[in-house]
Amino acid sequence: MTARRERRRPPLRVTEGRKRGQVAYAFGATLDQIDQLDRLLRTISAHSDMVAVCSGAQLDDASLSTLGESIFDSAREVRGLVDAIYAQRLRSPGTPSES
């Protein structure tokens, strides 16, 4: 088993909107990204339910490993999608964009 490596992220600066009593958004997601995230979470949930309900007893030898692999792959895709969304920071109007 390998040690889990934590990802360090710079702190978000979203205090400007809060000063005016407004909600401050730090990042944005496209509708396609939201749809993909929903699809992946539903896949993980459905496959996890199948593993939990069957308890491995009624599943074929290859089925359990196939479900586990699908759960793992979907979770890895979710992690990549969340990282991509995190990188899509919103900027305040008038703030110069970073190059």
Side-chain angles (χ1 to χ4, degrees):
M1 181 178 249
T2 60
R4 193 174 130 210
R5 195 174 82 191
E6 288 190 35
R7 295 179 181 162
R8 302 231 180 228
R9 295 181 174 153
L12 296 176
R13 293 190 177 109
V14 293
T15 56
E16 185 176 324
R18 291 183 184 161
K19 289 178 187 175
R20 289 180 255 129
Q22 300 172 349
V23 176
Y25 296 98
F27 60 88
T30 66
L31 290 177
D32 286 341
Q33 288 172 324
I34 298 297
D35 289 343
Q36 183 181 7
L37 185 60
D38 180 60
R39 180 185 55 80
L40 290 168
L41 292 175
R42 286 178 186 269
T43 298
I44 292 168
S45 178
H47 290 165
S48 299
D49 286 348
M50 183 67 171
V51 171
V53 167
C54 292
S55 302
Q58 293 115 351
L59 292 175
D60 179 79
D61 289 343
S63 297
L64 190 58
S65 61
T66 301
L67 287 169
E69 184 178 0
S70 177
I71 292 168
F72 176 80
D73 290 343
S74 296
R76 189 172 40 180
E77 240 184 291
V78 167
R79 176 76 263 162
L81 184 58
V82 168
D83 287 344
I85 292 171
Y86 182 84
Q88 296 168 185
R89 299 247 178 106
L90 297 178
R91 291 174 180 75
S92 300
T95 304
S97 62
E98 297 173 14
S99 303

